[in-house]
Amino acid sequence: MLKTMAKYPSTLAQLIAFLKKLPGVGTKTAERFAFQLLNWQESDLHALSTLCAQLKKKITKCPDCHCLTDNEVCPFCHQAMRDKAQLCIIASPRDAYSIEETGAYRGLYHVLGGLLSPLDGKTPEHLHLDQLKKRITTLQIKEIIIALDSTLEGDTTALFLKEQIQEWGLPVSRLAFGIPIGSSLDFVDGSTLARALTGRQTF
Ligand SMILES: [Zn+2]
């Protein structure tokens, strides 16, 4: 006789299905999370569900730089301490936080509308370059840093942007790619090593 599998109550099964949508969460982890949530206090569950329900409404994009904000004032554009002559071009609002964490950059940001990927129909129009040019002119930007991923799309977009920005007569640089700190050359893959050689610096 076949063993019948016990099914989760439908609410629990639905919760597991939602949790599985998160990156890196498989069935087992989703089940563990769901059972953990069952042990949470009612007030915490309520607070979490309210946050989720308001997420899209409360978090908006700054009309100027397109970084995230839950305030009328953008945390990057409206900070007095920032260097308003430097502009760092990023692909996603999330990248701004990674760069902020380094503490090495105090300029402004500009989130692109996407990366170039002609095969997926992502053409230069998706980059909203008119907005970028308007910001550069209005803010009187003196230097541009391109901080895009080292992928095919990132490289294609960076090259395209470089040509555009040079046409506008501004100095443009891109994040250096190289050997991760603390790693031995033996463990660095060929293309990273090639990039590191091309982008070598005098010291
Ligand atoms: Zn902003």
Side-chain angles (χ1 to χ4, degrees), residues 172-189:
V172 57
S173 56
R174 192 177 179 196
L175 292 190
F177 297 96
I179 300 153
I181 289 170
S183 66
S184 143
L185 286 193
D186 282 356
F187 293 101
V188 176
D189 68 277

PDB file of all heavy atoms in Angstrom, residues 172-189:
ATOM      1  N   VAL A 172      36.149  60.988 -17.468  1.00  0.00           N
ATOM      2  CA  VAL A 172      35.381  59.828 -17.009  1.00  0.00           C
ATOM      3  C   VAL A 172      36.333  58.696 -16.634  1.00  0.00           C
ATOM      4  O   VAL A 172      37.333  58.463 -17.306  1.00  0.00           O
ATOM      5  CB  VAL A 172      34.336  59.410 -18.076  1.00  0.00           C
ATOM      6  CG1 VAL A 172      34.983  59.121 -19.406  1.00  0.00           C
ATOM      7  CG2 VAL A 172      33.522  58.225 -17.620  1.00  0.00           C
ATOM      8  N   SER A 173      36.047  58.041 -15.514  1.00  0.00           N
ATOM      9  CA  SER A 173      36.867  56.898 -15.108  1.00  0.00           C
ATOM     10  C   SER A 173      35.942  55.737 -14.762  1.00  0.00           C
ATOM     11  O   SER A 173      34.743  55.926 -14.582  1.00  0.00           O
ATOM     12  CB  SER A 173      37.736  57.254 -13.908  1.00  0.00           C
ATOM     13  OG  SER A 173      36.934  57.711 -12.850  1.00  0.00           O
ATOM     14  N   ARG A 174      36.524  54.545 -14.684  1.00  0.00           N
ATOM     15  CA  ARG A 174      35.731  53.375 -14.323  1.00  0.00           C
ATOM     16  C   ARG A 174      36.408  52.678 -13.154  1.00  0.00           C
ATOM     17  O   ARG A 174      37.636  52.766 -13.016  1.00  0.00           O
ATOM     18  CB  ARG A 174      35.646  52.415 -15.518  1.00  0.00           C
ATOM     19  CG  ARG A 174      34.603  51.336 -15.297  1.00  0.00           C
ATOM     20  CD  ARG A 174      34.433  50.408 -16.470  1.00  0.00           C
ATOM     21  NE  ARG A 174      33.436  49.409 -16.121  1.00  0.00           N
ATOM     22  CZ  ARG A 174      33.242  48.282 -16.751  1.00  0.00           C
ATOM     23  NH1 ARG A 174      33.980  47.997 -17.810  1.00  0.00           N
ATOM     24  NH2 ARG A 174      32.322  47.428 -16.357  1.00  0.00           N
ATOM     25  N   LEU A 175      35.647  52.012 -12.309  1.00  0.00           N
ATOM     26  CA  LEU A 175      36.232  51.286 -11.177  1.00  0.00           C
ATOM     27  C   LEU A 175      37.303  50.343 -11.695  1.00  0.00           C
ATOM     28  O   LEU A 175      37.124  49.705 -12.729  1.00  0.00           O
ATOM     29  CB  LEU A 175      35.178  50.441 -10.461  1.00  0.00           C
ATOM     30  CG  LEU A 175      34.068  51.144  -9.690  1.00  0.00           C
ATOM     31  CD1 LEU A 175      33.296  50.121  -8.875  1.00  0.00           C
ATOM     32  CD2 LEU A 175      34.621  52.213  -8.766  1.00  0.00           C
ATOM     33  N   ALA A 176      38.406  50.245 -10.971  1.00  0.00           N
ATOM     34  CA  ALA A 176      39.473  49.333 -11.375  1.00  0.00           C
ATOM     35  C   ALA A 176      39.056  47.898 -11.059  1.00  0.00           C
ATOM     36  O   ALA A 176      38.358  47.648 -10.078  1.00  0.00           O
ATOM     37  CB  ALA A 176      40.748  49.681 -10.634  1.00  0.00           C
ATOM     38  N   PHE A 177      39.475  46.966 -11.920  1.00  0.00           N
ATOM     39  CA  PHE A 177      39.197  45.554 -11.671  1.00  0.00           C
ATOM     40  C   PHE A 177      40.520  44.882 -11.418  1.00  0.00           C
ATOM     41  O   PHE A 177      41.492  45.116 -12.137  1.00  0.00           O
ATOM     42  CB  PHE A 177      38.517  44.907 -12.875  1.00  0.00           C
ATOM     43  CG  PHE A 177      37.184  45.514 -13.148  1.00  0.00           C
ATOM     44  CD1 PHE A 177      37.053  46.523 -14.080  1.00  0.00           C
ATOM     45  CD2 PHE A 177      36.074  45.111 -12.442  1.00  0.00           C
ATOM     46  CE1 PHE A 177      35.823  47.115 -14.312  1.00  0.00           C
ATOM     47  CE2 PHE A 177      34.839  45.700 -12.671  1.00  0.00           C
ATOM     48  CZ  PHE A 177      34.711  46.703 -13.609  1.00  0.00           C
ATOM     49  N   GLY A 178      40.589  44.077 -10.419  1.00  0.00           N
ATOM     50  CA  GLY A 178      41.884  43.467 -10.160  1.00  0.00           C
ATOM     51  C   GLY A 178      41.834  42.312  -9.210  1.00  0.00           C
ATOM     52  O   GLY A 178      40.811  41.639  -9.061  1.00  0.00           O
ATOM     53  N   ILE A 179      42.967  42.110  -8.574  1.00  0.00           N
ATOM     54  CA  ILE A 179      43.151  40.958  -7.700  1.00  0.00           C
ATOM     55  C   ILE A 179      42.492  41.230  -6.350  1.00  0.00           C
ATOM     56  O   ILE A 179      42.748  42.260  -5.745  1.00  0.00           O
ATOM     57  CB  ILE A 179      44.655  40.699  -7.549  1.00  0.00           C
ATOM     58  CG1 ILE A 179      45.241  40.411  -8.934  1.00  0.00           C
ATOM     59  CG2 ILE A 179      44.940  39.569  -6.581  1.00  0.00           C
ATOM     60  CD1 ILE A 179      46.687  40.770  -9.064  1.00  0.00           C
ATOM     61  N   PRO A 180      41.629  40.345  -5.890  1.00  0.00           N
ATOM     62  CA  PRO A 180      40.992  40.567  -4.589  1.00  0.00           C
ATOM     63  C   PRO A 180      42.035  40.654  -3.472  1.00  0.00           C
ATOM     64  O   PRO A 180      43.031  39.921  -3.506  1.00  0.00           O
ATOM     65  CB  PRO A 180      40.105  39.328  -4.403  1.00  0.00           C
ATOM     66  CG  PRO A 180      39.985  38.713  -5.732  1.00  0.00           C
ATOM     67  CD  PRO A 180      41.210  39.085  -6.492  1.00  0.00           C
ATOM     68  N   ILE A 181      41.789  41.545  -2.526  1.00  0.00           N
ATOM     69  CA  ILE A 181      42.742  41.729  -1.425  1.00  0.00           C
ATOM     70  C   ILE A 181      42.914  40.418  -0.657  1.00  0.00           C
ATOM     71  O   ILE A 181      41.936  39.718  -0.364  1.00  0.00           O
ATOM     72  CB  ILE A 181      42.257  42.869  -0.500  1.00  0.00           C
ATOM     73  CG1 ILE A 181      42.437  44.187  -1.242  1.00  0.00           C
ATOM     74  CG2 ILE A 181      43.006  42.886   0.834  1.00  0.00           C
ATOM     75  CD1 ILE A 181      41.816  45.371  -0.599  1.00  0.00           C
ATOM     76  N   GLY A 182      44.144  40.056  -0.386  1.00  0.00           N
ATOM     77  CA  GLY A 182      44.431  38.868   0.410  1.00  0.00           C
ATOM     78  C   GLY A 182      44.501  37.585  -0.388  1.00  0.00           C
ATOM     79  O   GLY A 182      44.668  36.510   0.175  1.00  0.00           O
ATOM     80  N   SER A 183      44.351  37.694  -1.742  1.00  0.00           N
ATOM     81  CA  SER A 183      44.371  36.445  -2.504  1.00  0.00           C
ATOM     82  C   SER A 183      45.704  36.256  -3.235  1.00  0.00           C
ATOM     83  O   SER A 183      46.382  37.219  -3.566  1.00  0.00           O
ATOM     84  CB  SER A 183      43.212  36.406  -3.493  1.00  0.00           C
ATOM     85  OG  SER A 183      43.392  37.393  -4.449  1.00  0.00           O
ATOM     86  N   SER A 184      46.036  35.007  -3.472  1.00  0.00           N
ATOM     87  CA  SER A 184      47.281  34.694  -4.156  1.00  0.00           C
ATOM     88  C   SER A 184      47.023  34.613  -5.664  1.00  0.00           C
ATOM     89  O   SER A 184      45.920  34.260  -6.096  1.00  0.00           O
ATOM     90  CB  SER A 184      47.769  33.352  -3.610  1.00  0.00           C
ATOM     91  OG  SER A 184      48.344  32.599  -4.618  1.00  0.00           O
ATOM     92  N   LEU A 185      48.039  34.948  -6.455  1.00  0.00           N
ATOM     93  CA  LEU A 185      47.879  34.943  -7.917  1.00  0.00           C
ATOM     94  C   LEU A 185      47.442  33.576  -8.447  1.00  0.00           C
ATOM     95  O   LEU A 185      46.743  33.479  -9.447  1.00  0.00           O
ATOM     96  CB  LEU A 185      49.178  35.360  -8.607  1.00  0.00           C
ATOM     97  CG  LEU A 185      49.576  36.833  -8.554  1.00  0.00           C
ATOM     98  CD1 LEU A 185      50.701  37.098  -9.536  1.00  0.00           C
ATOM     99  CD2 LEU A 185      48.411  37.759  -8.869  1.00  0.00           C
ATOM    100  N   ASP A 186      47.865  32.511  -7.756  1.00  0.00           N
ATOM    101  CA  ASP A 186      47.494  31.146  -8.142  1.00  0.00           C
ATOM    102  C   ASP A 186      45.986  30.958  -8.236  1.00  0.00           C
ATOM    103  O   ASP A 186      45.488  30.141  -8.996  1.00  0.00           O
ATOM    104  CB  ASP A 186      47.983  30.150  -7.066  1.00  0.00           C
ATOM    105  CG  ASP A 186      49.456  29.883  -7.209  1.00  0.00           C
ATOM    106  OD1 ASP A 186      50.039  30.401  -8.176  1.00  0.00           O
ATOM    107  OD2 ASP A 186      50.015  29.174  -6.350  1.00  0.00           O
ATOM    108  N   PHE A 187      45.271  31.693  -7.375  1.00  0.00           N
ATOM    109  CA  PHE A 187      43.832  31.473  -7.269  1.00  0.00           C
ATOM    110  C   PHE A 187      43.002  32.465  -8.079  1.00  0.00           C
ATOM    111  O   PHE A 187      41.783  32.410  -8.056  1.00  0.00           O
ATOM    112  CB  PHE A 187      43.410  31.516  -5.795  1.00  0.00           C
ATOM    113  CG  PHE A 187      43.969  30.378  -5.000  1.00  0.00           C
ATOM    114  CD1 PHE A 187      45.079  30.553  -4.182  1.00  0.00           C
ATOM    115  CD2 PHE A 187      43.404  29.109  -5.097  1.00  0.00           C
ATOM    116  CE1 PHE A 187      45.613  29.495  -3.469  1.00  0.00           C
ATOM    117  CE2 PHE A 187      43.940  28.047  -4.389  1.00  0.00           C
ATOM    118  CZ  PHE A 187      45.037  28.233  -3.573  1.00  0.00           C
ATOM    119  N   VAL A 188      43.687  33.363  -8.779  1.00  0.00           N
ATOM    120  CA  VAL A 188      42.953  34.363  -9.556  1.00  0.00           C
ATOM    121  C   VAL A 188      42.745  33.833 -10.972  1.00  0.00           C
ATOM    122  O   VAL A 188      43.683  33.341 -11.594  1.00  0.00           O
ATOM    123  CB  VAL A 188      43.731  35.700  -9.575  1.00  0.00           C
ATOM    124  CG1 VAL A 188      43.040  36.712 -10.464  1.00  0.00           C
ATOM    125  CG2 VAL A 188      43.880  36.242  -8.163  1.00  0.00           C
ATOM    126  N   ASP A 189      41.515  33.927 -11.486  1.00  0.00           N
ATOM    127  CA  ASP A 189      41.259  33.380 -12.816  1.00  0.00           C
ATOM    128  C   ASP A 189      41.902  34.254 -13.892  1.00  0.00           C
ATOM    129  O   ASP A 189      42.210  35.422 -13.652  1.00  0.00           O
ATOM    130  CB  ASP A 189      39.754  33.235 -13.062  1.00  0.00           C
ATOM    131  CG  ASP A 189      39.069  34.558 -13.151  1.00  0.00           C
ATOM    132  OD1 ASP A 189      38.745  35.135 -12.092  1.00  0.00           O
ATOM    133  OD2 ASP A 189      38.868  35.033 -14.278  1.00  0.00           O
TER     134      ASP A 189
END
